[in-house]
Amino acid sequence: MSKLQHPDSRSFEEVAELYEQWRPEYPAEAVAWIADRLDLRPGRAVLDLGAGTGKLTRALVRTGARVIAVEPGEAMLAQLVRAVPEAEPVLGAAEAIPLADASVDAVTAGQSFHWFRVPEAVAEIHRVLRSGGGLALIWNERDQSDPLQREITRLIEPFRAAGRPRPSHRSDVPAAGGLFGPQEERTFPLQQELDADGLADRIATISFVAAGPEAKRAELARRLRAIAAQHGGRVTFAYVTSAYVSFSVE
């Protein structure tokens, strides 16, 4: 069984195909910054942890580094295998990484670190990293300065469980046992063009939406399609991509 942090994370297994189809990749500039800081190139090995369907994995493969993709969800990993055959897929969780000590030069986590039990995961990441290895975290976050995103947030808020905290993407890696140094941070803009079906399906991949009742999800999809119709049938879906890099200490 997965050791992911929240039961809603299991809902990704139900929408793995939609996730692969409608979740965007990461901005080329963000990946280039991470690759430069982690020195990703031929002869280096990087672990993509909580790799999902491989949205970050495929960009890491392009660096020429050896890429090991660890993902706890079988359906998500199956999508990754089809999309990124060059990577080495491994079924496993961040809190018990199925790799040897000091076996990789870098670790990345795209859209996944907030699901980990941080103290356990950070200790495991530090264990599998070689001395001085780097950790990069990245998220595509819906841009709440955009009116469309604020409207979407209003529509999906009823799906959020009462008392459930909003995930913080500002990790506390430097404070987690003193195993990593200070984080460097960069942000990048990203836009995705979606038609009515694409908008409905993109929102259907949000974990707590995917976990909601079928009738409630159908009504949400209807309202999202209506919003797209009001915009001429297509919308610009705005993100802010936040990337963080830190390095292990002895």
Side-chain angles (χ1 to χ4, degrees), residues 79-93:
Q79 291 290 329
L80 184 149
V81 169
R82 285 190 284 271
V84 200
E86 305 91 339
E88 301 175 29
V90 179
L91 191 67

Side-chain angles (χ1 to χ4, degrees), residues 127-142:
R127 178 185 65 79
V128 301
L129 275 173
R130 297 184 180 119
S131 179
L135 168 64
L137 312 177
I138 188 169
W139 285 270
N140 290 328
E141 304 177 81
R142 293 186 302 109

Side-chain angles (χ1 to χ4, degrees), residues 10 25 27 29 35 50 81 86 92 97 99 112 123 128 137 139 142 149 161-162 187 201 208-209 218 227 229 242:
R10 303 300 298 164
E25 296 185 31
E29 298 83 359
V81 169
E86 305 91 339
I97 300 172
L99 298 180
S112 59
V128 301
L137 312 177
W139 285 270
R142 293 186 302 109
Q149 294 294 3
T187 59
D201 286 347
F208 57 85
V209 172
I227 289 174
S242 301

Side-chain angles (χ1 to χ4, degrees), residues 35-36 38-46 59-67 105-106 130:
D36 178 70
L38 299 183
D39 191 23
L40 300 183
R41 53 180 168 78
R44 300 270 286 176
V46 57
L60 299 174
V61 164
R62 296 177 199 130
T63 69
R66 175 192 175 201
V67 182
D105 300 293
R130 297 184 180 119

Side-chain angles (χ1 to χ4, degrees), residues 6 8 157-165 208:
H6 194 283
D8 279 358
E157 193 62 28
F159 286 82
R160 190 184 297 274
R164 177 189 172 180
F208 57 85

Side-chain angles (χ1 to χ4, degrees), residues 95-180:
E95 299 82 0
I97 300 172
L99 298 180
D101 295 357
S103 56
V104 296
D105 300 293
V107 175
T108 62
Q111 221 75 20
S112 59
F113 189 82
H114 57 293
W115 293 114
F116 303 163
R117 292 202 300 270
V118 171
E120 295 169 59
V122 169
E124 278 290 274
I125 291 166
H126 189 268
R127 178 185 65 79
V128 301
L129 275 173
R130 297 184 180 119
S131 179
L135 168 64
L137 312 177
I138 188 169
W139 285 270
N140 290 328
E141 304 177 81
R142 293 186 302 109
D143 184 357
Q144 294 299 319
S145 71
D146 182 77
L148 172 65
Q149 294 294 3
R150 291 198 298 273
E151 175 67 5
I152 290 171
T153 296
R154 185 184 68 81
L155 290 176
I156 66 176
E157 193 62 28
F159 286 82
R160 190 184 297 274
R164 177 189 172 180
R166 296 178 181 274
S168 173
H169 294 166
R170 289 183 173 275
S171 74
D172 292 323
V173 168
L179 299 178
F180 286 84

Side-chain angles (χ1 to χ4, degrees), residues 203-214:
I203 298 307
T205 70
I206 295 174
S207 60
F208 57 85
V209 172
E214 183 177 356

